[in-house]
Amino acid sequence: MTSKPAQPVALEADAPRPLPRLARPPSVADWIPTVSIPVDCEPAHFHEGLLQLVLYPEQSSSTILRAEILDDEQDPADHLDLAGGDAQTRCPLTGYTCVRRVRRRVLPNRPQFDWAMEQECLFYDKRGSEAGESEALVVLLPDFAQLDRDRGDQRLPYYHPQVYALAFRYLADHAGTSTSLRIDLVPLPSQPLLAPLPQNDRLFRTAQVLAKYAAKLCNGQAVGYQKRIHHDLLVGRTAVQDTYQRLKDKYQWMLHSWQESTDATKHVFEDVAIAAWLVTYWAEIYPDTEGKPPGGFVDVGCGNGLLVYILAAEGYSGYGFDLRERKSWASYTAPRPDLRVQSLNPVTLLPSALDHTDSEGASGSAESSDWPFPRDSFLIFNHADEMTPWCPLLAALTPGPRVGFLNIPCCLHELAGRFERQTYTIPAAFLADLPPSQIAADHPSADGSEAWRASLPDDLHPLLFPFYAAAPLSYSKPAAKGATSAAAASPTGDVSILGGRYHAYQLYLAHLTLRCDFVPAREALRIPSTKNFGLVGGRAPRSPGGTGRDQEDVRDEVRQLLAEVVRKGEWRARRPEGKAGERSGH
């Protein structure tokens, strides 16, 4: 039977091992012991866990957008003395040694209600512990002077506990048999508090939540926890979040005029988040066309059409289509987006493109009205169901060297039938064409992805690592010359990853993407959906003089894939609904 996790317990006002008063800035009140929770870790794990809490406060509170790190000083003890300096950045505690100082600016998730706040985060070790007792400490100090300068008052924002100072403490007894994480606080001078805090007080409940979350981080560090879901691999977090905030403020009126029966909050914010990611990503890959796909975008299976509307309103040309018109479509005005009722049957559409060659010798059908994707367009497949695996094939036959796509799978479909496999292997010949890393060098991730990349085996590309898969993970690397252990290596040179069906499906889609001559990369999108993995594809770079042969090879790959689907005879295209269904279409 699994034991229940430890819970924080309330502390009495006279709890042992009290903290000394803050010397600078001078505190007018003593620390109030608040809650304590058992932890199973060492002081170093405590500091690493609390560092995560300091760097990523949004993971502990949905009211926080992120923290911008203004300064990170290692071993600043010599500078944190009582002599001179800015009072807000000098906070020694008698008997403690400051080993790290982080200054951060915390940004609100709701800027219309909250405001930004700067804060000192001071990491301490205990000097000369008594009776062998060890202690570590992290003190959070709001910068009231900064609040006064920026706002004209010293009020703390809602997302921050209403306290003068907050301390996370690691306490171990002399035998080391009992270790705990404890939270003490100093009340605001304007809001004196009784000790102990009443357990129905909001501040006490906040301390309970923080203690549980901090304990989880510290215990995770002790057992070697590694983050599995990594965001911001392709574009920077700051740019995406800032764009999202701008678009959310601009289009949240849609919540009150939603025409569909679906959850307005989920769908509006999800499409806003996808639009924010696309706008940021396009700015990176299309700098010479003002951050816009040269051929526009096409949203396949656009559903309620909100994503198409947002992109159109932001000045991006393109269109979307679906099997039936939605009630929302008529409500989108100024500008009115291009939304169409249309079905897509790749089994009948692809052969005509394979037989066509444009004026530049490239496959596709730029001049044909039957081909739905313009030259150099960007394809969007957002939860496109059974159309999901067809995305790279359709992109492959779309003319132009700057074609790209974003594929966000929902249900697990193969080209024909359901995807049921628990493992998938990409042949080594295709892996050799992968670039060194999918993480852009000039866009280091804000959530530690560079460390994640460095921790991978030297011969394992980040694309192959199951950042969505549950442990345990089994990795079979390519066989080295002269290897004798068949269990430790794949004799074919292929890479096999046992990471669960969802990661196997990612590898399946990545293999299709490679077969269609696109370079695949993954992103965990910041959208309110459990299916938020996105596969991005861009044209593979061409070697001089090799364009014609490479393109014919791609067409042969598509022919082979299409022939296998036809042989199985399982593909059935959906027909448009309503009046459009009376007409046959692609």
Side-chain angles (χ1 to χ4, degrees):
M1 178 180 293
T2 304
S3 60
K4 292 183 179 180
Q7 298 296 317
V9 296
L11 295 173
E12 297 296 331
D14 59 350
R17 303 171 71 172
L19 282 171
R21 279 194 177 188
L22 296 173
R24 203 183 272 274
S27 173
V28 298
D30 291 322
W31 291 90
I32 297 177
T34 308
V35 295
S36 177
I37 184 172
V39 290
D40 187 12
C41 65
E42 299 295 330
H45 303 135
F46 167 81
H47 275 167
E48 285 299 319
L50 267 294
L51 181 62
Q52 295 299 306
L53 186 145
V54 166
L55 297 179
Y56 314 115
E58 70 276 10
Q59 296 178 0
S60 62
S61 173
S62 61
T63 58
I64 295 176
L65 178 64
R66 67 175 181 270
E68 295 178 344
I69 305 305
L70 306 178
D71 195 11
D72 188 354
E73 187 178 3
Q74 303 281 351
D75 298 321
D78 293 340
H79 308 291
L80 293 169
D81 56 79
L82 290 170
D86 179 7
Q88 275 306 130
T89 61
R90 311 299 178 189
C91 176
L93 288 170
T94 303
Y96 293 81
T97 301
C98 188
V99 296
R100 187 167 191 164
R101 168 184 168 264
V102 176
R103 185 172 180 85
R104 65 179 182 175
R105 182 176 178 85
V106 185
L107 302 180
N109 203 23
R110 304 179 302 170
Q112 66 272 35
F113 299 114
D114 276 335
W115 49 92
M117 178 196 71
E118 293 185 16
Q119 189 179 55
E120 289 289 321
C121 309
L122 305 175
F123 293 69
Y124 289 95
D125 281 333
K126 182 68 178 291
R127 260 198 223 128
S129 59
E130 299 178 3
E133 295 176 334
S134 60
E135 181 173 352
L137 174 68
V138 175
V139 177
L140 306 184
L141 287 170
D143 189 338
F144 292 97
Q146 170 264 321
L147 289 170
D148 197 25
R149 289 193 305 269
D150 292 353
R151 294 181 43 81
D153 62 53
Q154 297 187 357
R155 288 187 302 134
L156 291 169
Y158 175 83
Y159 58 78
H160 189 278
Q162 303 298 297
V163 296
Y164 188 75
L166 191 68
F168 293 83
R169 306 178 64 188
Y170 171 88
L171 301 174
D173 62 17
H174 67 280
T177 57
S178 175
T179 54
S180 62
L181 185 148
R182 171 170 150 180
I183 291 182
D184 291 16
L185 59 87
V186 177
L188 291 167
S190 60
Q191 299 178 21
L193 299 171
L194 295 176
L197 291 181
Q199 296 190 25
N200 61 351
D201 187 276
R202 176 174 176 265
L203 191 53
F204 179 84
R205 296 196 301 271
T206 300
Q208 282 185 307
V209 172
L210 287 174
K212 289 177 64 176
Y213 181 66
K216 177 182 177 181
L217 293 175
C218 298
N219 290 332
Q221 291 293 325
V223 298
Y225 169 78
Q226 292 185 348
K227 184 176 176 65
R228 283 295 181 93
I229 301 179
H230 295 270
H231 301 82
D232 318 306
L233 299 180
L234 303 180
V235 291
R237 177 180 66 160
T238 298
V240 174
Q241 287 187 333
D242 288 350
T243 304
Y244 173 73
Q245 287 292 331
R246 177 178 66 82
L247 297 181
K248 186 176 74 169
D249 292 344
K250 187 175 180 179
Y251 297 103
Q252 64 180 350
W253 61 268
M254 291 294 304
L255 295 173
H256 310 293
S257 60
W258 192 243
Q259 302 295 314
E260 307 293 336
S261 59
T262 52
D263 181 4
T265 300
K266 177 186 184 301
H267 286 276
V268 170
F269 290 149
E270 181 172 324
D271 283 353
V272 166
I274 294 173
W277 191 90
L278 283 170
V279 166
T280 309
Y281 179 66
W282 287 342
E284 295 291 332
I285 64 172
Y286 301 121
D288 57 326
T289 54
E290 299 181 340
K292 298 177 180 180
F297 68 88
V298 181
D299 188 349
V300 177
C302 64
N304 57 56
L306 179 57
L307 179 60
V308 178
Y309 169 69
I310 294 173
L311 293 174
E314 293 300 306
Y316 297 85
S317 63
Y319 75 95
F321 62 87
D322 210 318
L323 294 169
R324 64 179 176 88
E325 182 176 351
R326 308 299 172 93
K327 290 184 289 186
S328 297
W329 290 12
S331 68
Y332 301 137
T333 57
R336 183 173 294 280
D338 187 351
L339 297 169
R340 311 174 187 179
V341 176
Q342 181 179 339
S343 176
L344 194 65
N345 186 347
V347 174
T348 60
L349 181 65
L350 287 171
S352 61
L354 287 168
D355 294 336
H356 181 88
T357 302
D358 67 13
S359 59
E360 298 180 8
S363 66
S365 186
E367 297 84 7
S368 171
S369 60
D370 292 335
W371 190 252
F373 306 108
R375 171 179 290 274
D376 288 323
S377 56
F378 191 95
L379 284 56
I380 303 170
F381 281 62
N382 178 19
H383 295 177
D385 297 331
E386 69 272 14
M387 288 302 303
T388 296
W390 292 95
C391 173
L393 281 73
L394 294 166
L397 297 190
T398 298
R402 309 192 70 182
V403 174
F405 62 80
L406 171 63
N407 199 359
I408 309 175
C410 181
C411 304
L412 277 57
H413 291 276
E414 295 195 32
L415 290 173
R418 299 277 296 180
F419 184 89
E420 302 290 351
R421 287 173 271 189
Q422 294 297 319
T423 62
Y424 191 86
T425 299
I426 299 179
F430 289 98
L431 295 177
D433 294 332
L434 286 173
S437 171
Q438 72 184 95
I439 303 173
D442 56 343
H443 288 291
S445 171
D447 65 359
S449 296
E450 285 194 326
W452 164 66
R453 175 174 54 182
S455 69
L456 297 179
D458 291 340
D459 53 357
L460 179 61
H461 191 276
L463 178 70
L464 307 178
F465 189 77
F467 59 35
Y468 273 97
L473 166 68
S474 176
Y475 166 48
S476 178
K477 64 181 181 180
K481 291 183 178 180
T484 57
S485 174
S490 170
T492 64
D494 305 336
V495 172
S496 298
I497 302 288
L498 302 180
R501 189 160 70 102
Y502 194 51
H503 181 247
Y505 189 59
Q506 294 177 32
L507 295 181
Y508 168 73
L509 293 179
H511 187 197
L512 287 178
T513 301
L514 288 165
R515 292 184 69 174
C516 293
D517 201 38
F518 286 87
V519 177
R522 296 184 306 176
E523 186 75 285
L525 302 170
R526 297 179 181 273
I527 59 177
S529 172
T530 56
K531 300 298 175 64
N532 60 343
F533 147 67
L535 185 73
V536 180
R539 291 278 196 208
R542 300 294 185 191
S543 58
T547 300
R549 182 178 59 82
D550 288 347
Q551 189 62 28
E552 189 57 38
D553 289 343
V554 174
R555 296 171 72 177
D556 286 343
E557 289 282 358
V558 175
R559 287 190 183 96
Q560 293 176 22
L561 292 167
L562 186 60
E564 184 177 351
V565 172
V566 173
R567 179 180 58 79
K568 292 182 177 179
E570 298 179 9
W571 171 258
R572 296 291 184 273
R574 299 192 202 181
R575 295 177 63 86
E577 300 178 17
K579 293 183 179 180
E582 300 173 1
R583 305 186 302 272
S584 62
H586 294 296

